[in-house]
Amino acid sequence: MAGPHALPLDAIVMADIAIVLLAGAGVLALARRLRQPPVIGEIAVGIALGPSVLGLLPGDLPQRIFPDEARPLLSAVAQLGLLLFMFLAGWELDGAMLRGRQRAVISMAASAMAVPFALGAGLAVLLAAEYGGDTGTSAFVLYLGTAMSITAFPVLARILSDSGMIRTPVGVLAMACAAIGDVMAWCLLVVVVAVAEADGGGRVVEVIVLTVLYALVMALVVRPFLRWALHRAGERAAAGRLFTVVGAGALLSSYVTSWIGTHAIFGAFAFGLAMPRQLRQGLRESIEEPLSKVGTLLLPVFFIITGLSVDFGSLGWSDVVVLAAILAVAVAGKLAGAMVPARLAGLRWREATAFGVLMNTRGLTELVILDVGRRLGVIDARLFAIMVVMALVTTAMAGPLLHLLGVTDPPADTARLPAQGGGDDRADEELTAAGTRGDAAK
């Protein structure tokens, strides 16, 4: 992209970001028309600007527009947007979702993760020799099982809001189970990263011990301090400046988890979990809205970095067979793991099927985990491309399937869960509020 006057690198990066933002904005209307969340259009744009589509044209356009020397800077911008997204996703997860129905929801969430994890791990054993990276079979098997078991909480919240299902029994259950599943998935990924990066068993134990200590400090020290500081600030300080302090805290927490040996995204996510939920509405908005806007501006760059790493042209017919197998395992695992316990909990088959479809939504969370695996060398470039397709397909199928099942835009009097041994209406109301706030994080 450098012209005859040898543009400085920072100018090239700024132009690249502008291209990403404009291209992403251009597909939003099309995504809505196709009943898709915005993230689907943005991921598609990222892939289109990479070697898979733009690279098919003469002139090596991806390299000219996004030269190698600019990509580290683009990656840094992308990581900032990603960390803010992970912080907001952690803040949206609220324990109120479990109030009155802990046992039923936890068992359903565990089933919706355990079945696809087991099937994915089994498939990984067969694929390890061909598609495993440089970190060993154990890390590859754990990683692929984790990637198969993901449900994207923020994207799910957006789908439920857009489809009018946020107040339905299916929507309430899906939100609660996805929240628990997110936490389970990140805990699993901590173990995967520890195994992948460790030189031996002793290092794995060290990383896990340090992670547990970090979690205790966040729960017993950071969380109470944040509650005290934010409530005092709400009374005395200019609340509009708090988003800077909170954002810096999320980034410092990311630094700590990187130092421990896991990944920066865990620090941002954990800092979001540590944030107090019960804040004065204006105070929360003064923190959440600026960070959400910054994240929305920067996160599309992450899709470009992902798209530049996806090259469908490198896939052969054998890879297409593997793609079909991965799609079958991913979809069947989620549907079986979610539908059966939902039916046993009292939902009708149509509602239980809709619940399975919602839990099959992977979205941006899957891309984040795939990016971690690619950077660690757990998976090779071909499997990375295959898994990106799986993430797109499983997310894109949710809207049309829900419409086909006839569960979207239901009447207001259906907004109650089936009896599960002690549910209460207040939890349903808090779930609805959490889902509405989740729109800000996509």
Side-chain angles (χ1 to χ4, degrees):
M1 195 169 179
H5 301 294
L7 289 172
L9 187 58
D10 56 350
I12 297 174
V13 171
M14 295 302 104
D16 286 344
I17 294 174
I19 291 171
V20 171
L21 296 177
L22 292 174
V27 301
L28 290 183
L30 178 61
R32 293 191 185 97
R33 182 178 294 272
L34 296 176
R35 299 178 180 273
Q36 300 298 326
V39 65
I40 288 293
E42 291 171 336
I43 295 171
V45 166
I47 294 174
L49 291 176
S52 297
V53 179
L54 195 62
L56 299 178
L57 300 177
D60 194 12
L61 294 179
Q63 178 61 33
R64 292 177 62 85
I65 298 174
F66 306 102
D68 288 337
E69 59 270 22
R71 295 186 187 186
L73 294 179
L74 288 171
S75 181
V77 172
Q79 285 299 306
L80 178 57
L82 181 60
L83 293 178
L84 292 179
F85 166 81
M86 293 304 302
F87 163 73
L88 292 171
W91 199 3
E92 293 305 325
L93 297 186
D94 195 342
M97 294 184 178
L98 304 180
R99 188 174 299 159
R101 57 181 68 88
Q102 288 92 331
R103 184 177 301 175
V105 173
I106 289 174
S107 64
M108 293 173 69
S111 175
M113 286 203 64
V115 176
F117 180 91
L119 293 177
L123 181 61
V125 173
L126 302 177
L127 299 178
E130 181 70 20
Y131 293 93
D134 305 322
T135 55
T137 302
S138 298
F140 180 76
V141 171
L142 287 172
Y143 174 81
L144 200 60
T146 302
M148 291 290 195
S149 62
I150 289 298
T151 296
F153 177 84
V155 174
L156 177 63
R158 181 61 182 258
I159 291 174
L160 289 171
S161 178
D162 290 347
S163 64
M165 296 180 62
I166 196 70
R167 296 178 182 273
T168 67
V170 177
V172 171
L173 282 174
M175 286 284 288
C177 291
I180 298 171
D182 257 17
V183 176
M184 290 180 179
W186 296 123
C187 292
L188 281 172
L189 196 59
V190 168
V191 177
V192 173
V193 174
V195 172
E197 291 199 323
D199 296 328
R203 175 57 179 157
V204 173
V205 173
E206 179 186 352
V207 171
I208 293 176
V209 169
L210 288 174
T211 301
V212 171
L213 291 175
Y214 162 80
L216 290 174
V217 170
M218 293 296 291
L220 301 178
V221 179
V222 176
R223 184 178 177 86
F225 173 77
L226 287 173
R227 186 184 298 114
W228 171 81
L230 289 175
H231 282 296
R232 283 179 59 87
E235 298 171 0
R236 303 189 313 169
R241 293 193 295 269
L242 283 175
F243 84 95
T244 303
V245 178
V246 171
L251 297 180
L252 287 174
S253 181
S254 300
Y255 168 80
V256 172
T257 53
S258 295
W259 175 82
I260 287 173
T262 54
H263 196 282
I265 59 175
F266 299 125
F269 186 76
F271 197 81
L273 289 175
M275 288 288 290
R277 269 65 178 172
Q278 304 302 322
L279 293 178
R280 184 170 50 83
Q281 184 64 21
L283 177 61
R284 174 159 184 150
E285 290 177 355
S286 70
I287 300 171
E288 191 173 37
E289 288 187 4
L291 291 176
S292 176
K293 290 177 180 177
V294 174
T296 300
L297 184 68
L298 300 182
L299 192 59
V301 183
F302 174 76
F303 300 124
I304 284 297
I305 298 299
T306 302
L308 292 174
S309 304
V310 174
D311 186 4
F312 295 143
S314 65
L315 301 181
W317 285 110
S318 62
D319 299 312
V320 175
V321 174
V322 171
L323 170 60
I326 285 178
L327 278 171
V329 168
V331 175
K334 274 295 184 183
L335 290 180
M339 285 172 57
V340 174
R343 183 72 179 93
L344 294 175
L347 294 181
R348 294 171 295 180
W349 273 117
R350 187 178 67 167
E351 294 172 325
T353 304
F355 176 70
V357 169
L358 288 168
M359 295 302 290
N360 191 44
T361 302
R362 289 173 173 86
L364 177 56
T365 306
E366 181 77 11
L367 287 190
V368 173
I369 289 182
L370 293 179
D371 184 65
V372 172
R374 177 181 65 85
R375 290 174 180 270
L376 291 176
V378 180
I379 57 177
D380 66 7
R382 290 180 301 155
L383 189 58
F384 177 76
I386 290 170
M387 294 294 287
V388 168
V389 175
M390 183 273 287
L392 277 171
V393 172
T394 54
T395 305
M397 65 192 293
L401 284 180
L402 292 173
H403 182 69
L404 186 63
L405 288 168
V407 295
T408 55
D409 299 318
D413 60 358
T414 64
R416 288 186 60 84
L417 284 170
Q420 296 179 27
D424 68 42
D425 293 337
R426 183 181 175 188
D428 293 347
E429 294 171 0
E430 289 170 337
L431 268 172
T432 301
T436 304
R437 294 195 307 267
D439 293 351
K442 282 196 174 68

